[in-house]
Amino acid sequence: MGESLLAAYLQPLLDKLASGPLMNFARQMGFHSDLREWRSKLRQIKLVLGDAEEKQMNDIEVKRWLDELLVLAYDADDVLEELDHEALQLHNKSSSDSATSSSQVQDLLAQIQEITTRFVDIEEEKRDLGLKERPGVRSRIINKSLPTSSLVDSSQIVGREGHIEAILKLLDISATTKAGANENRVFGMGGWRSVINGYGGVTLPNWMGDSSYSKLVKLSLVDCKSCKSLPSLGQLPLLEEVKIERMLEIEAIGMELYGEASPHGRPFPSLKTLEFENMPKWVNWSLPVIITSLLHLKLGYCPELVVPELSVLPSLRELRFRGVKDISNGLHCPTSLTELYIDWCKNLRTLPDGIISSNSKLQVLEIKDCESLESFPSGVLPTTLKILSIRNCRKLEWIGEMLLGPASLDYIGFWDYPNLRSLPECLCTNLTFLMIDRCESIESFPEIGLPFSNLTHLRIRDCENLKYLPSNLRKLTSLRDLHVARDRLSLPADAFSNFSAIEGLFAFLLSNRADFEDLEWQL
């Protein structure tokens, strides 16, 4: 399994594991330490992905390790999705009706502990396989995955004291406050990164007159709950990453963010990553300037926001929407986009014409929990698409004909998609991973079977009307992971006659015990 596909899932997992609301929920439920263990193991694993990618071509055990890691990443993501949903439900409910049932907690805890054990095993196995970290990888991974929303003890602040004191002075916070209270804390690293957490003022100062900030590279503003506006961050010439989180009184963002007259010619000349998270009152975002350097944009839980057109971001590669009121204008985005994630956007009814077919570079399309989504634009999916994931979009019409376009599709996942009735017979033959979960309308596979000679992972769960497995299972000689959970499911007579060509069958689960016994006999 290629590093690109794994990286597309490991980094979002790390991002989720750095989410303040999710970790707070986990702490309340009693499995915070397990999720911290996941994060630690994921970071260690990600360090050796490059080495594993090279070695898998000549080492079958390394390839098996990568395949197992991919399955583990999908399973961990499923659990985090469920946890995230529970955390949001808790956030939106009153204390009187927000309790999670003990059976739910026990079920989640069992799943989490099982995945923790698998993370420990797979991280230990990387040492047995001799997988090594590449020079320069560690700093990139750690910097990208900093859990900036977490409270850090002031004794852990590193960097020049002058820069830290300058921040305190600008915010009118004493050194005594820095060392003591939980609120109004400032955390910095060498003048290059800073996290301002819990500032209680209504207005953040304009920092442009202080030379301490000219070399600032990363900035997070977290829990500045009374602030009604942002400072002119666009004037900071080296700023690469900005995260704004839980600024509860912000209603509009305009030119004040960019600055009226930039001495550097244009605002945010170095900005690569911009994130807004948990901004419940934010409605209007003016984006009148071109930001040519921005690669990653994330908007999470902004339930009143109307997103503007993003054509002024000509280099944008990754776009993430989660819990945003109106993203229809925001989907008019540049053709540079390679990854698009849409999650919990309840007002989205259709994807606009051109968002998919005209985007010749799109590689990842993931849509989740969009309860009003009914249709995709006409045409076929981009030929460059590698990953397609649709989860809990119960009104979405079946997009089967669109699947005939992408020759590069590597992964398809459908969850809670009742309009999925059958798969087209001419799907991409390069597919390696197929997941169909809780799709109650699908009854059978194409008569010719699955034309995927490269398929390594087939997972079918809780499809209540599915009666038959693919007729050509014996021809899927690359299959390494088969997981089927379904009552009364018929098997082709020679389904597993070619198992000698398969290295390992990781999981095959049938509720119908008689069929399972027949399978064991054939093996």
Side-chain angles (χ1 to χ4, degrees):
M1 183 58 58
E3 182 185 1
S4 59
L5 181 58
L6 273 168
Y9 274 83
L10 295 193
Q11 188 55 49
L13 283 179
L14 283 167
D15 293 342
K16 289 177 183 178
L17 290 167
S19 165
L22 176 62
M23 296 306 286
N24 288 338
F25 175 74
R27 190 178 289 109
Q28 293 177 35
M29 295 296 104
F31 35 72
H32 177 254
S33 59
D34 283 276
L35 299 194
R36 291 183 63 185
E37 180 82 354
W38 291 17
R39 188 167 64 198
S40 173
K41 297 303 182 187
L42 274 170
R43 286 177 177 172
Q44 294 301 314
I45 288 167
K46 197 171 180 186
L47 292 172
V48 303
L49 277 186
D51 190 37
E53 170 66 13
E54 283 189 0
K55 290 180 176 177
Q56 70 163 332
M57 305 304 295
N58 299 313
D59 190 329
I60 201 167
E61 288 301 313
V62 173
K63 187 177 188 306
R64 179 193 55 77
W65 182 84
L66 284 170
D67 287 340
E68 289 188 27
L69 176 58
L70 181 64
V71 174
L72 177 55
Y74 292 139
D75 290 344
D77 187 55
D78 281 347
V79 172
L80 289 180
E81 285 292 325
E82 189 171 350
L83 287 176
D84 210 22
H85 177 74
E86 292 294 334
L88 278 171
Q89 293 293 102
L90 186 65
H91 177 83
N92 292 327
K93 290 180 179 179
S94 66
S95 58
S96 62
D97 62 356
S98 61
T100 302
S101 70
S102 58
S103 61
Q104 286 177 297
V105 172
Q106 290 302 317
D107 183 56
L108 283 172
L109 184 58
Q111 294 180 61
I112 289 168
Q113 290 176 340
E114 187 263 341
I115 289 177
T116 301
T117 300
R118 290 165 64 189
F119 268 123
V120 171
D121 290 345
I122 207 163
E123 197 272 334
E124 289 179 351
E125 191 175 2
K126 78 177 175 59
R127 293 194 294 269
D128 298 336
L129 293 170
L131 299 177
K132 299 185 182 300
E133 174 186 336
R134 287 183 169 184
V137 172
R138 179 176 295 270
S139 61
R140 293 200 305 272
I141 303 250
I142 293 176
N143 287 343
K144 192 170 184 181
S145 306
L146 279 172
T148 55
S149 61
S150 302
L151 285 174
V152 182
D153 189 87
S154 58
S155 63
Q156 296 176 334
I157 299 174
V158 296
R160 302 175 193 155
E161 185 64 23
H163 290 300
I164 297 169
E165 295 303 327
I167 299 172
L168 296 172
K169 182 178 179 181
L170 284 168
L171 297 180
D172 193 24
I173 300 172
S174 68
T176 302
T177 303
K178 177 194 73 173
N182 288 330
E183 291 189 338
N184 296 344
R185 289 190 177 185
V186 177
F187 312 105
M189 295 182 66
W192 299 93
R193 303 183 187 90
S194 66
V195 178
I196 298 174
N197 193 323
Y199 173 63
V202 175
T203 304
L204 283 162
N206 190 338
W207 303 336
M208 300 319 302
D210 195 288
S211 60
S212 299
Y213 287 90
S214 63
K215 295 183 179 180
L216 190 66
V217 174
K218 298 184 181 182
L219 174 66
S220 293
L221 302 177
V222 182
D223 283 326
C224 303
K225 296 180 180 179
S226 298
C227 289
K228 295 181 178 294
S229 62
L230 296 172
S232 298
L233 303 180
Q235 304 293 294
L236 300 174
L238 301 182
L239 193 61
E240 294 183 2
E241 296 186 18
V242 174
K243 182 172 184 177
I244 313 295
E245 183 174 358
R246 292 192 297 278
M247 297 188 71
L248 306 184
E249 294 300 320
I250 295 284
E251 296 181 3
I253 295 176
M255 284 303 299
E256 76 281 356
L257 177 64
Y258 316 105
E260 293 293 341
S262 172
H264 312 291
R266 53 185 170 83
F268 292 116
S270 303
L271 190 65
K272 292 182 173 64
T273 300
L274 179 60
E275 297 185 13
F276 293 96
E277 185 78 27
N278 205 337
M279 309 273 282
K281 293 185 178 181
W282 186 23
V283 177
N284 297 314
W285 182 17
S286 175
L287 195 56
V289 295
I290 296 176
I291 304 177
T292 58
S293 58
L294 191 67
L295 303 177
H296 313 280
L297 175 61
K298 178 181 178 181
L299 301 172
Y301 192 61
C302 303
E304 301 300 323
L305 178 63
V306 178
V307 181
E309 285 197 22
L310 302 178
S311 56
V312 294
L313 308 175
S315 302
L316 194 65
R317 296 180 186 173
E318 178 186 7
L319 179 57
R320 292 177 178 267
F321 296 117
R322 185 174 188 277
V324 180
K325 179 180 179 179
D326 186 348
I327 66 171
S328 55
N329 290 329
L331 290 174
H332 295 283
C333 46
T335 57
S336 59
L337 200 67
T338 59
E339 300 178 32
L340 176 60
Y341 304 87
I342 303 173
D343 184 4
W344 207 46
C345 294
K346 296 189 175 183
N347 295 321
L348 180 66
R349 295 187 179 278
T350 184
L351 297 182
D353 289 339
I355 180 60
I356 294 177
S357 58
S358 68
N359 196 321
S360 60
K361 296 182 180 179
L362 194 66
Q363 296 181 22
V364 180
L365 177 60
E366 185 174 290
I367 303 178
K368 303 178 184 177
D369 298 318
C370 295
E371 61 186 29
S372 299
L373 181 64
E374 296 177 351
S375 64
F376 275 27
S378 58
V380 296
L381 295 169
T383 58
T384 55
L385 196 67
K386 295 182 179 179
I387 299 174
L388 174 65
S389 176
I390 297 176
R391 184 192 300 253
N392 196 24
C393 299
R394 300 189 64 83
K395 292 183 179 179
L396 178 63
E397 63 187 23
W398 176 226
I399 61 166
E401 296 302 315
M402 299 186 72
L403 297 176
L404 303 180
S408 57
L409 260 178
D410 191 63
Y411 166 88
I412 294 178
F414 296 126
W415 290 260
D416 293 295
Y417 189 1
N419 286 329
L420 189 165
R421 294 180 173 82
S422 63
L423 294 175
E425 293 190 355
C426 300
L427 273 173
C428 171
T429 58
N430 292 322
L431 200 69
T432 64
F433 196 112
L434 177 61
M435 161 71 87
I436 302 176
D437 193 335
R438 299 188 298 276
C439 297
E440 62 261 35
S441 299
I442 188 169
E443 297 183 356
S444 62
F445 288 92
E447 290 186 8
I448 64 171
L450 295 176
F452 312 134
S453 59
N454 295 326
L455 194 69
T456 58
H457 299 77
L458 176 60
R459 295 194 151 205
I460 304 168
R461 297 193 294 211
D462 299 327
C463 298
E464 60 189 43
N465 289 309
L466 182 63
K467 300 178 176 61
Y468 304 98
L469 282 177
S471 60
N472 66 332
L473 277 180
R474 65 184 182 85
K475 296 181 179 180
L476 302 179
T477 56
S478 298
L479 196 63
R480 301 170 59 83
D481 172 41
L482 177 60
H483 183 114
V484 180
R486 172 73 185 96
D487 289 337
R488 298 177 299 279
L489 190 63
S490 297
L491 296 168
D494 60 350
F496 304 101
S497 61
N498 201 30
F499 258 28
S500 60
I502 300 176
E503 290 175 30
L505 182 65
F506 297 154
F508 186 90
L509 306 176
L510 283 176
S511 298
N512 188 322
R513 186 62 188 171
D515 281 351
F516 189 66
E517 290 172 353
D518 290 344
L519 168 62
E520 291 180 324
W521 179 83
Q522 290 181 45
L523 287 172

